[in-house]
Amino acid sequence: HAEEDMAQTALAAWQALKADGSWEVVEALDVPSGGAFEQMQQYAALDGYLAGRWPTRRSPYLPLCADGDPFRYCPAVFRGSRARLRSKEKRLSSEGPIVLEVERSAEPRVLERFFALEASGWKGRRGSAIAANAQLVRFYTSVAEEAARQKYLRIYSLLVGGKPAAMHFGLLMNGRYYIPKVAYNEDFRKYSPGLLLMQYVLKDLASAGAVKFDFLGPSM
């Protein structure tokens, strides 16, 4: 429905639901705040039905520190695992030189590398990867092109011997970093490439003056 039709749509949905006597409880998970389902609840309450809401999943975020330790605000479990990650990084280096690459352009070669990496793992096997759907490819390509034009595209790659081990399709906007999509090479799974890339990204974001890392959570 169009944004201006939300109230009318919610009322029609509630009236249809009210006329259906086959239900006792209706529950919807992870609906957006202020959306049509909440509007429908208001109509239900006006008709004397019990309605309630509660938080389900929250979007996690991490404050970033430009001065000193960029990992200052990381959860203790992450800080405690950094020694193990250093060990994994050392072993990973035996596979080839480790390089962090940051792309700010939406060149086809950059996007194709990300799409190929995402499709190389379980998403590819399940058919849910971006590359498996031409419409998704067009959508993320258009997002990347506009983000590059606006100068907030950040495609991070952790390369091992020139081969991508993990990548972020990221957006750095107004000091906030968002990751709509991530991917990693399952061949390097034992080295935790996603966490290794995260360390590099946090350092780079802190040096760039970013103030928050937003993991998006259910908003992804």
Side-chain angles (χ1 to χ4, degrees):
H1 62 81
E3 185 175 356
E4 61 270 18
D5 297 331
M6 184 176 73
Q8 185 177 356
T9 303
L11 178 59
W14 166 242
Q15 289 173 340
L17 191 61
K18 182 180 176 182
D20 181 350
S22 64
W23 61 274
E24 293 183 353
V25 176
V26 175
E27 181 181 61
L29 297 178
D30 302 325
V31 296
S33 297
F37 191 82
E38 284 193 1
Q39 182 81 59
M40 192 174 74
Q41 283 185 299
Q42 294 175 18
Y43 291 126
L46 288 173
D47 282 344
Y49 286 74
L50 294 175
R53 55 184 175 175
W54 56 91
T56 50
R57 294 185 294 169
R58 301 181 188 274
S59 296
Y61 72 92
L62 179 69
L64 299 175
C65 177
D67 301 323
D69 182 8
F71 309 108
R72 178 186 302 173
Y73 300 112
C74 287
V77 65
F78 181 83
R79 297 197 303 272
S81 67
R82 287 181 62 201
R84 292 192 297 274
L85 286 175
R86 283 193 291 270
S87 174
K88 290 186 176 185
E89 186 173 14
K90 184 177 180 180
R91 287 187 283 121
L92 179 60
S93 66
S94 66
E95 303 275 355
I98 299 175
V99 176
L100 176 71
E101 188 175 272
V102 187
E103 293 282 357
R104 302 185 183 189
S105 72
E107 295 180 14
R109 64 170 182 84
V110 177
L111 298 178
E112 287 169 5
R113 182 167 70 180
F114 180 84
F115 296 154
L117 180 62
E118 192 207 27
S120 68
W122 63 268
K123 289 185 179 181
R125 292 191 294 272
R126 290 186 182 180
S128 60
I130 294 172
N133 186 317
Q135 186 175 355
L136 281 180
V137 171
R138 288 193 298 271
F139 172 76
Y140 281 100
T141 298
S142 67
V143 169
E145 290 173 346
E146 180 62 16
R149 190 180 72 82
Q150 298 277 3
K151 302 186 185 305
Y152 52 77
L153 180 66
R154 297 292 187 278
I155 297 183
Y156 285 99
S157 300
L158 185 68
L159 304 178
V160 180
K163 185 178 181 180
M167 295 182 69
H168 282 187
F169 184 109
L171 306 170
L172 180 58
M173 306 167 62
N174 302 319
R176 272 75 172 170
Y177 178 69
Y178 306 89
I179 44 170
K181 287 290 179 180
V182 298
Y184 74 95
N185 189 330
E186 292 185 357
D187 292 342
F188 297 119
R189 181 186 305 164
K190 62 183 178 181
Y191 303 113
S192 302
L195 285 176
L196 290 177
L197 174 59
M198 187 69 71
Q199 289 195 120
Y200 282 96
V201 170
L202 289 175
K203 290 178 182 178
D204 188 71
L205 292 173
S207 67
V211 297
K212 183 183 290 186
F213 190 128
D214 191 327
F215 292 85
L216 291 178
S219 297
M220 185 179 293

